[in-house]
């Protein structure tokens, strides 16, 4: 069974990917410094897959630790690199934290694997497209100037990976550009664990519905969209996790497109904030307390992905719809209310 290093594997998307890797017959090995996750997630994963994944706690910004890890784990054939700082707002206040964490961790890994055959899957984001000129947005759309240091780390990381894969033939890389990951595992044993007040829509919705927040503010109701609120391509985290397995499998076969490639990972459908709220109300049977408020600075008005390339060349397609996204997020919020983590 191939061993796959999952950096950030106790985090939101990483934990779901560890589960899907196991189901697909891989042995996931997690490295995480727990800066934005909790050790208890390992027990939760064990409840789902029946084994506790191998776990190493250290900071990937520590080049010696990374080099030691790589030396003592020579049989790892692939890396899925989730570990990064990801809060857009915080990145504007603390750009150096983001440039430090997101670049040093990536470069340390690439350096430590110099000369060793390695398949590398990178967590990128639809943020690289900014406000697209054409919708749905394809992978060949221009990358727009980033509006936050976080977004900039994703753009520059893609460039670092492309140049590295072209310069050294031991690396084969796929960057997955995620749209908006939401939802939780069907078991409701793992899901998103936002620190403090959630900045993202779905955890804010579920925390409001359960009574942790008084009301949701819809950021803007006067945009040029059918109902005036912003439109996004929400993607179920379990589908997203499966896209990583598909990427590893494609790299193992050899990607005919070459040593560096990018794929959109979304459903291809856009939902407005008001449609997302309505879908949540239907799936949960809860009325949500919300108001339409002012626009949020820097918000993209509408973005959804063209998933033709992922469907035909990655061999992956989203299977779960907005109902499953909402009902699983709600089940997870209810689980957390009974079994707090962290
Ligand atoms: P997360 O914060 O839940 O998971 C990231 C994990 O990485 C955490 O467990 C954290 O402790 C760990 N980590 C961070 N820096 C580390 C370091 N230096 N060394 C070791 N571990 C470290 O985030 P997530 O939502 O699961 O996102 C995973 C990846 O996907 C990130 O790269 C993120 O930028 C990207 N992404 C996320 C979204 C989203 O909306 N969640 C969208 C697009 C892209
Ligand atoms: C979704 C929609 C908000 C909260 C961010 C990053 C992006 C990517 C995903 C990592 C928007 C609206 C939200 C609220 C609201 N992350 N909203 N009230 O902004 O699409 O993307 O996360 O790569 O890079 O920028 O996601 O969940 O914050 O917002 O009305 O309280 O919900 O305006 O239209 P976003 P989000």
């Amino acid at each position: 069974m191939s061993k796959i290093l999952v950096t950030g594997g106790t985090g939101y998307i990483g934990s779901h990917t560890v589960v899907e890797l196991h189901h697909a017959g891989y042995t996931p090995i997690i490295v995480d410094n727990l800066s934005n996750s909790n050790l208890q997630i390992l027990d939760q994963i064990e409840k789902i897959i029946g084994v506790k994944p191998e776990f190493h706690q250290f900071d990937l910004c520590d080049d010696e630790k990374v080099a030691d890890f790589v030396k003592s784990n020579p049989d790892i054939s692939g890396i899925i690199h989730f570990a990064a700082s990801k809060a857009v707002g915080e990145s504007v206040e603390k750009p150096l934290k983001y440039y430090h964490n997101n670049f040093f961790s990536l470069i340390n890994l690439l350096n430590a694997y110099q000369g060793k055959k390695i398949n590398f899957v990178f967590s990128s984001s639809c943020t690289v497209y900014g406000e697209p000129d054409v919708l749905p947005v394809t992978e060949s759309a221009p990358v727009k100037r980033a509006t936050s240091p976080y977004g900039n780390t994703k753009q520059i990381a893609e460039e670092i990976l492309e140049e590295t894969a072209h310069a050294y033939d031991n690396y084969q890389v796929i960057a997955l550009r995620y749209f908006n990951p939401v939802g939780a595992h069907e078991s409701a044993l793992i899901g998103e664990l936002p620190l403090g007040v959630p900045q993202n829509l779905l955890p804010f919705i579920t925390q409001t519905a359960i009574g942790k927040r008084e009301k949701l503010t819809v950021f803007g109701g006067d945009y040029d969209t059918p109902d005036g609120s912003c439109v996004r391509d929400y993607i179920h985290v379990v589908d997203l996790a499966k896209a990583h397995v598909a990427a590893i499998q494609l790299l193992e076969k050899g990607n005919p497109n070459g040593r560096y490639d990018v794929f959109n990972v979304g459903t291809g459908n856009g939902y407005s904030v008001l449609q997302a709220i309505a879908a949540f109300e239907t799936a949960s049977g809860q009325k949500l307390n919300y108001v339409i408020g002012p626009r949020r600075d820097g918000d993209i008005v509408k973005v959804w992905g063209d998933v033709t390339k992922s469907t035909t060349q990655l061999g992956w397609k989203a299977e779960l719809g907005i109902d499953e996204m909402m009902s699983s997020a709600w089940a997870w919020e209810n689980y957390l209310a009974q079994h707090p983590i962290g």
Side-chain angles (χ1 to χ4, degrees):
M1 283 204 289
S2 307
K3 289 189 180 174
I4 307 293
L5 166 60
V6 184
T7 75
T10 45
Y12 174 42
I13 308 168
S15 56
H16 290 81
T17 303
V18 164
V19 169
E20 296 308 321
L21 282 168
H22 174 85
H23 289 329
Y26 291 96
T27 302
I29 298 178
I30 300 174
V31 170
D32 202 299
N33 65 355
L34 303 179
S35 57
N36 197 37
S37 56
N38 194 288
L39 206 51
Q40 257 177 277
I41 294 301
L42 293 178
D43 301 324
Q44 300 296 98
I45 294 174
E46 185 179 9
K47 286 179 199 160
I48 299 172
I49 65 175
V51 284
K52 196 178 264 195
E54 185 177 326
F55 174 71
H56 301 261
Q57 183 179 348
F58 64 88
D59 189 335
L60 291 156
C61 295
D62 182 332
D63 58 345
E64 285 178 12
K65 291 243 169 68
V66 175
D68 285 350
F69 173 85
V70 172
K71 263 193 222 111
S72 43
N73 291 275
D75 49 353
I76 285 174
S77 61
I79 304 175
I80 306 180
H81 182 45
F82 292 106
S85 303
K86 66 160 183 178
V88 176
E90 187 193 44
S91 81
V92 176
E93 284 155 30
K94 299 178 184 165
L96 290 180
K97 171 179 169 181
Y98 279 69
Y99 290 125
H100 181 94
N101 198 36
N102 295 4
F103 291 146
F104 280 96
S105 55
L106 174 67
I107 289 166
N108 286 343
L109 277 170
L110 293 174
N111 268 332
Y113 276 96
Q114 281 233 36
K116 299 184 182 66
K117 276 240 154 299
I118 198 79
N119 296 327
F120 197 102
V121 179
F122 177 68
S123 296
S124 191
S125 168
C126 69
T127 190
V128 302
Y129 298 122
E131 188 77 57
D133 302 321
V134 179
L135 287 167
V137 63
T138 64
E139 289 84 349
S140 55
V143 165
K144 298 271 177 73
R145 193 188 150 83
T147 53
S148 71
Y150 167 77
N152 209 20
T153 67
K154 292 299 175 193
Q155 293 187 0
I156 296 171
E158 284 196 4
E159 289 174 12
I160 292 171
L161 285 163
E162 182 168 16
E163 289 162 4
T164 302
H166 287 153
Y168 310 98
D169 64 7
N170 60 298
Y171 301 103
Q172 264 204 109
V173 179
I174 286 178
L176 297 178
R177 292 176 175 164
Y178 315 158
F179 283 73
N180 286 57
V182 295
H185 191 260
E186 61 178 3
S187 63
L189 289 165
I190 52 174
E192 191 168 3
L193 274 177
L195 270 185
V197 181
Q199 305 302 305
N200 294 114
L201 180 64
L202 241 288
F204 210 106
I205 288 180
T206 55
Q207 289 195 6
T208 304
I210 209 144
K212 269 183 157 172
R213 314 270 156 217
E214 192 210 331
K215 60 173 186 293
L216 170 82
T217 301
V218 175
F219 297 143
D222 57 353
Y223 283 106
D224 180 19
T225 59
D227 63 21
S229 64
C230 293
V231 178
R232 297 287 185 274
D233 184 345
Y234 296 97
I235 168 84
H236 197 298
V237 68
V238 172
D239 275 331
L240 175 56
K242 289 178 180 170
H244 294 81
V245 177
I248 287 287
Q249 288 167 338
L250 177 57
L251 292 173
E252 284 177 348
K253 279 190 288 189
N255 184 357
N257 291 343
R259 290 207 299 273
Y260 178 79
D261 205 1
V262 288
F263 291 98
N264 282 344
V265 188
T267 64
N269 304 310
Y271 285 89
S272 72
V273 179
L274 293 175
Q275 286 175 319
I277 293 171
F280 173 79
E281 291 185 332
T282 306
S284 66
Q286 303 288 311
K287 267 262 153 259
L288 192 78
N289 187 21
Y290 71 90
V291 292
I292 313 269
R295 295 178 176 196
R296 177 171 72 176
D297 270 358
D299 249 338
I300 300 301
V301 182
K302 36 189 181 186
V303 62
W304 61 95
D306 184 314
V307 290
T308 311
K309 187 179 175 197
S310 314
T311 311
T312 56
Q313 297 177 36
L314 184 60
W316 168 92
K317 198 175 185 332
E319 290 167 346
L320 302 168
I322 194 90
D323 294 347
E324 285 105 339
M325 298 180 207
M326 296 298 164
S327 54
S328 63
W330 181 232
W332 166 241
E333 192 67 62
N334 280 282
Y335 176 86
L336 274 181
Q338 301 298 319
H339 312 85
I341 294 180

